[in-house]
Amino acid sequence: MESGHEQNPLLRFSNRVGDYARYRPGYPPELIVWLRDAIDLRPAWIVADVGSGTGLLAREFTANGNLVYAVEPNPEMRTAAEAAFEREPHFASMAGSAEATGLPAGCVDLVSAGQAFHWFDRDAVQREWRRILCPGGRVLIVFNSRRIGATPFMGAYDRFLVERAVDYPGVDHRRVLGESLSSFFDGMQEWHHHFFQPQTWEELLGVAMSSSYVPAPGHPRHAAFVEGLKVLFDEHAINSHVEFAYETEAYTGWLA
């Protein structure tokens, strides 16, 4: 049986914050370079990073000099971000959601969402983001996606998730989004960037446990999941590491 946390999208990551902050990959600095070319991103722009989580995407913008309003509905994720950014003057934490940010009208130049867009109510988001964007303001949707076909391990890991995870096919953003992104934007531009992340057994387990569809400690399927994952790791590890293949997918434009 699923817990309340697993059923409620706003609470799915409450018991995974530590693993999320420690093991999830950040976004490559090349993303900001692309945004400078694609939409003329400047340090003076104000960014609303919605569904900001532990601040993985916000970190790239604050490093660029942007003031970031980090809008996050989950209190545990928000607290972790506030601790990580406590000395960052360009970071402002907001208790809000993508559909109700709590920000004033026309106050931001860019609305971004990293690894979160598939959780949003699309119609409500359109209304809210249009309200908070200044005239001509842009939208950015970003995902770090696993490249399933990149290596035998990546393919095996995805099959393992389909077999052993709780509701992976129903919440995996690649399966949920479909063609909806192109209809969300006007003048959409996209960018793709490949990178690898070597992982020890501890790191692989941490990445897995940071995902809301993986049975967490206390779940009746947790022990079997960890046991099976260790077998998978041992089958594919070279020099005590497996290579996780990622693709950063970025989409930007105006609201349709």
Side-chain angles (χ1 to χ4, degrees):
M1 179 180 295
E2 291 185 340
S3 70
H5 280 197
E6 290 166 331
Q7 293 173 332
N8 186 341
L10 298 184
L11 301 176
R12 288 179 70 104
F13 293 95
S14 294
N15 59 346
R16 303 177 189 269
V17 173
D19 287 327
Y20 201 105
R22 183 174 181 183
Y23 296 111
R24 282 288 181 106
Y27 296 93
E30 291 88 348
L31 173 64
I32 297 297
V33 176
W34 173 68
L35 289 171
R36 290 173 187 152
D37 291 337
I39 62 173
D40 196 27
L41 173 69
R42 302 176 187 181
W45 284 23
I46 298 174
V47 178
D49 185 33
V50 299
S52 53
T54 60
L56 293 177
L57 182 56
R59 182 173 293 115
E60 300 305 315
F61 286 115
T62 58
N64 190 53
N66 300 105
L67 172 61
V68 178
Y69 291 112
V71 181
E72 173 55 50
N74 183 288
E76 289 82 5
M77 298 283 271
R78 195 169 60 249
T79 297
E82 289 167 356
F85 286 84
E86 63 177 341
R87 290 186 171 87
E88 174 51 69
H90 292 96
F91 182 88
S93 181
M94 303 280 297
S97 68
E99 301 84 359
T101 62
L103 290 169
C107 70
V108 300
D109 302 284
L110 177 70
V111 179
S112 66
Q115 219 71 21
F117 185 73
H118 54 305
W119 298 113
F120 301 162
D121 179 321
R122 221 62 50 83
D123 292 337
V125 157
Q126 280 268 4
R127 292 190 296 269
E128 176 66 357
W129 293 8
R130 196 177 305 280
R131 184 186 69 81
I132 65 175
L133 279 167
C134 67
R138 307 282 191 127
V139 171
L140 172 70
I141 307 299
V142 190
F143 291 98
N144 277 333
S145 303
R146 283 178 284 104
R147 289 196 289 137
I148 295 172
T151 66
F153 166 72
M154 295 303 297
Y157 182 72
D158 191 72
R159 291 190 295 273
F160 178 78
L161 291 179
V162 171
E163 295 170 0
R164 301 290 188 91
V166 177
D167 56 355
Y168 170 59
V171 300
D172 177 35
H173 77 265
R174 292 161 301 187
R175 295 174 170 90
V176 173
L177 287 180
E179 299 298 318
S180 63
L181 272 180
S182 59
S183 63
F184 187 78
F185 286 102
D186 181 19
M188 186 180 80
Q189 301 178 68
E190 60 183 281
W191 177 78
H192 300 264
H193 176 80
H194 292 176
F195 66 97
F196 285 91
Q197 185 182 58
Q199 294 177 348
T200 63
W201 160 242
E202 179 186 7
E203 290 164 341
L204 175 63
L205 180 60
V207 166
M209 288 300 135
S210 75
S211 299
S212 66
Y213 45 76
V214 167
H219 191 285
R221 292 161 59 180
H222 172 74
F225 182 94
V226 173
E227 181 180 347
L229 185 63
K230 183 61 164 65
V231 171
L232 186 68
F233 175 85
D234 290 340
E235 289 175 350
H236 292 271
I238 299 175
N239 296 326
S240 302
H241 289 80
V242 291
E243 290 281 347
F244 235 63
Y246 284 104
E247 176 182 32
T248 301
E249 308 171 56
Y251 307 88
T252 190
W254 298 277
L255 284 174

